[in-house]
Amino acid sequence: MTSPSPVRFEAARVEDTKAAGERLAKALRPGDLIVLIGPLGAGKTAFTQGLGAGLGVRGSVTSPTFVISRVHRGPLPLVHVDAYRLGGTLEVDDLDLDADVADSVTVVEWGEGLVEQLTDGHLEVRIERRPDDVRVLTFTGVGGDWPERLAAFADGARA
Amino acid sequence: MSNEPLVLGIETSCDETGVGIVRGHTLLADAVATSVDQHARFGGVVPEVASRAHLEAMVPTVQRALDDAGVTLDDVDAIAVTAGPGLAGALLVGVAAAKAYALAAGKPIYGVNHLSAHIAVDTLENGPIPAPALGLLVSGGHSSLLLVEDLAGRVVQLGATIDDAAGEAYDKVARLLGMPFPGGPPIDRAARDGDAGAITFPRGLTAHRDMEKHRYDFSFSGLKTAVARWVEARQRAGETVPVNDVAASFQEAVCDVLTRKAVAAAKDHGIDTILLGGGVAANTRLRSMAVERCEKAGIRVRVPRPGLCTDNGAMVAALGSHLVAANVEPSDLGIPADSALPVELVSMVRHEARAL
């Protein structure tokens, strides 16, 4: 079940990608899952750095590729996962996540098709890099109450 | 008989089960079991797979190290183990094993920092480390400049990567160029037949304005993106990608920034010795560029042989031996494995709550 109306932003610079994450952070709540999709160098970690800043979490948000997942404590904790090296044959338990998904915001890079079953619904954030280096961010609410929440977020962003 | 401490070191922070035995600064055994074959089918390290592999390899690897060194567990003066940072489950296996051996044999235990151990390993080849010294630690998970005032307890992080680690950038660029994981060795090989000046890739955080706020920090994410853009532009135009030139030019950018910032940090702090450590320190271009630039700056550079740069138990034993000799208090048996152990904690004496 996909929202019929994805929300799109353009980000000319990496600061704009971070700002989009920071804005989204204000609309998040415990248990939210964000599946982050985009090629190498799209700005997935930059977007998550913005999210972390918006959530006010501790510790600098850097690439989780090597450690697979990193937990940042804060008023609303952020679990940052890089699922690139996890195959489809693996269970999420194999991540050894040191935090409860229900109490945190979980962001999974390269998680498409792997982690959606973690929650009833999730927000898909797709980042494309155009040849002119501008990033196009597409937010799609999938399942749960995400379509309505995303519509409200889009109204707020326009206001 | 020597009265130098005989220390057994256990390392399980990632995918290598390493057990080393050291007497003073002398390496007696360096046994390593790797689970890399088991990870290959997943294309990289998977935490739970690594933990299980450590569990299976632990006892045989300890026995092999004892046999190689010609000593028994009773002869050992202390047991050292990597307490962090690293993969949580993987660390836990090593820490639990070390506690069990320490308890069974009645030996003190030292829970030590993985990063400081990468620095300490150099004592096995080049003897005691002068104080202060500057550590440049580069691996798949870390890129840090460390001010080593005293290897037994005072290590300060001057800077670190703000996004990707250097080794991670190698892995990701290798992926772009269709090379296998880990990306360091194949890029190093391809670069030898390439022109390092063919493409000018960006040097992260070296611009004047960045040098104020991030003088000793690194950033390799923009470099990775620049390589991706360059390669994609060639592919779109239907041209062949000159893989060797891309590898050489990318490697030149990484090594340029690492060595430039290390030399600057050493000069700023009046330090005359730079120690290279971590898996990326096995890279031939990084080693040659570091030697060249340090020579020019009148700085001595020390690099362990490639086999000791990657994760191993000998480095943990080397740091343990140093701590014993410096009369540092051993760890309490209640210490945890800490996946985010800060650089400043060279060894963990007891379990203390600390803010993340």
Side-chain angles (χ1 to χ4, degrees), chain B residues 42-311:
Chain B
F42 299 115
V45 180
V46 178
E48 189 57 27
V49 172
S51 306
R52 282 180 211 140
H54 286 309
L55 200 55
E56 285 165 17
M58 183 55 65
V59 174
T61 310
V62 168
Q63 195 53 54
R64 188 147 55 87
L66 289 169
D67 293 347
D68 290 351
V71 299
T72 66
L73 197 57
D74 272 344
D75 299 330
V76 166
D77 293 308
I79 292 168
V81 61
T82 302
L87 301 174
L91 288 167
L92 197 62
V93 177
V95 169
K99 286 178 184 175
Y101 281 114
L103 199 60
K107 306 293 181 184
I109 182 173
Y110 287 85
V112 305
N113 192 300
H114 180 81
L115 281 70
S116 290
H118 268 304
I119 301 293
V121 75
D122 190 65
T123 59
L124 301 178
E125 297 213 298
N126 299 308
I129 289 168
L134 187 91
L136 173 60
L137 184 63
V138 270
S139 66
H142 308 281
S143 300
S144 306
L145 274 175
L146 307 175
L147 174 60
V148 185
E149 292 174 340
D150 173 5
L151 191 57
R154 284 205 314 280
V155 176
V156 178
Q157 181 162 289
L158 297 176
T161 181
I162 61 165
D163 40 57
D164 295 3
E168 188 180 333
Y170 269 91
D171 292 341
K172 288 178 174 173
V173 166
R175 200 193 288 173
L176 283 168
L177 297 176
M179 294 172 179
F181 172 93
I187 287 182
D188 200 359
R189 272 193 301 275
R192 276 173 224 159
D193 300 320
D195 174 7
I199 312 149
T200 306
F201 286 126
R203 269 67 169 160
L205 300 182
T206 56
H208 191 67
R209 60 188 153 80
D210 291 325
M211 285 301 273
E212 284 169 26
K213 193 176 163 211
H214 292 291
R215 186 167 179 81
Y216 306 126
D217 290 328
F218 301 107
S219 166
F220 296 108
S221 181
L223 169 60
K224 164 196 75 187
T225 305
V227 175
R229 280 170 49 82
W230 197 91
V231 168
E232 280 163 21
R234 292 299 165 291
Q235 287 166 337
R236 260 199 307 275
E239 295 169 26
T240 315
V241 175
V243 170
N244 294 346
D245 287 349
V246 174
S249 302
F250 159 76
Q251 175 154 288
E252 199 70 6
V254 173
C255 299
D256 178 21
V257 178
L258 288 173
T259 54
R260 204 195 300 183
K261 293 211 172 199
V263 168
K267 281 186 176 166
D268 292 349
H269 291 82
I271 293 172
D272 61 6
T273 305
I274 291 179
L275 300 149
L276 276 186
V280 180
N283 181 276
T284 57
R285 183 61 184 136
L286 180 59
R287 294 167 85 97
S288 67
M289 200 188 277
V291 167
E292 199 178 293
R293 288 190 172 172
C294 286
E295 228 164 60
K296 221 173 267 174
I299 296 167
R300 188 173 170 229
V301 62
R302 290 172 44 162
V303 198
R305 64 183 140 93
L308 290 178
C309 288
T310 46
D311 293 349

Side-chain angles (χ1 to χ4, degrees), chain A residues 94-137:
Chain A
D94 291 337
L95 281 174
D96 264 349
L97 284 183
D98 193 18
D100 194 340
V101 170
D103 300 331
S104 316
V105 168
T106 303
V107 177
V108 185
E109 301 186 16
W110 302 101
E112 194 178 14
L114 278 178
V115 296
E116 290 83 355
Q117 77 284 1
L118 270 177
T119 52
D120 290 339
H122 67 271
L123 179 68
E124 180 188 292
V125 175
R126 190 175 289 275
I127 310 181
E128 285 152 310
R129 200 175 68 226
R130 285 200 322 227
D132 64 357
D133 215 26
V134 167
R135 269 55 164 183
V136 180
L137 285 73

